[in-house]
Amino acid sequence: MGVYLLKDGMACLSVIDADDDESFENLKAAHATYPSYLESSRRGGHLWFFFENPVEGKQAKNFGLEIAKRHSINAEVFPKQ
């Protein structure tokens, strides 16, 4: 179960979920560039970004989308809302 938004629509984190080897390699490159937490999964990995203060869910999603775009990561980004 993943809970990415607080009750008020704010988020404390953004996650990029890559499901293939190439995207996982690109996640590693992003991890080396930005303060983040990288974890392996069955088919790839997740790159977690934790914010010091909550931000709007839309901002959290756009942040993850921009990191994925800059590093050519084909992945889902959370929060999705």
Side-chain angles (χ1 to χ4, degrees), residues 17-35:
D17 177 7
D19 289 333
D20 61 64
D21 292 337
E22 180 181 348
S23 290
F24 185 60
E25 290 302 314
N26 294 346
L27 275 185
K28 289 180 191 178
H31 175 59
T33 306
Y34 308 102

Side-chain angles (χ1 to χ4, degrees), residues 2-80:
V3 178
Y4 302 98
L5 292 178
L6 304 172
K7 284 198 285 187
D8 57 0
M10 303 293 276
C12 293
L13 57 93
S14 181
V15 182
I16 302 173
D17 177 7
D19 289 333
D20 61 64
D21 292 337
E22 180 181 348
S23 290
F24 185 60
E25 290 302 314
N26 294 346
L27 275 185
K28 289 180 191 178
H31 175 59
T33 306
Y34 308 102
S36 55
Y37 175 75
L38 178 67
E39 70 175 339
S40 297
S41 66
R42 288 179 291 133
R43 297 176 294 174
H46 307 111
L47 190 58
W48 297 78
F49 296 92
F50 298 95
F51 307 126
E52 188 172 327
N53 296 303
V55 299
E56 290 183 21
K58 183 177 182 177
Q59 280 184 292
K61 180 176 181 73
N62 287 340
F63 173 82
L65 289 171
E66 183 62 27
I67 298 297
K69 178 181 170 184
R70 287 183 185 190
H71 290 273
S72 301
I73 303 167
N74 181 24
E76 287 184 277
V77 175
F78 298 92
K80 283 191 169 260

